[in-house]
Amino acid sequence: FHDELFHSRRGEHYLRGGVPGKNMVPGLYDPLGFSSKKTPEQLARGRSVEIKNGRLAMIGFAGLWAEASIHGSVPFQPDC
């Protein structure tokens, strides 16, 4: 929610043409300064990798939810 407020004041929202994954909240993305020495290409790759990781995590959670909700929905899952 706070990111939405900062985007409206500091930049363009990603659904309106802004950069997806760009955090406009000051001090939260890189508090230790790890990305200060990276090139723009490395930052873009890191953003892409992080988005893909989040998508895979959502797929994994959907599998856990399906197994818990629908018995037998995940093949080869032993009964506990």
Side-chain angles (χ1 to χ4, degrees):
F1 175 70
H2 295 284
D3 202 30
E4 302 292 328
L5 293 175
F6 280 102
H7 265 293
S8 64
R9 294 187 179 132
R10 292 186 175 203
E12 196 163 0
H13 193 270
Y14 72 96
L15 291 177
R16 296 185 184 96
V19 177
K22 185 174 183 182
N23 190 350
M24 299 300 277
V25 180
L28 291 181
Y29 176 67
D30 192 17
L32 300 177
F34 290 129
S35 66
S36 63
K37 297 178 183 176
K38 292 187 178 184
T39 65
E41 291 82 18
Q42 290 173 327
L43 290 173
R45 183 187 179 282
R47 186 179 301 120
S48 175
V49 167
E50 199 59 36
I51 289 172
K52 290 176 184 178
N53 184 30
R55 290 175 180 162
L56 286 174
M58 288 186 274
I59 291 171
F61 182 78
L64 291 172
W65 176 79
E67 176 57 31
S69 301
I70 306 165
H71 182 70
S73 63
V74 177
F76 308 118
Q77 177 71 25
D79 291 331
C80 294

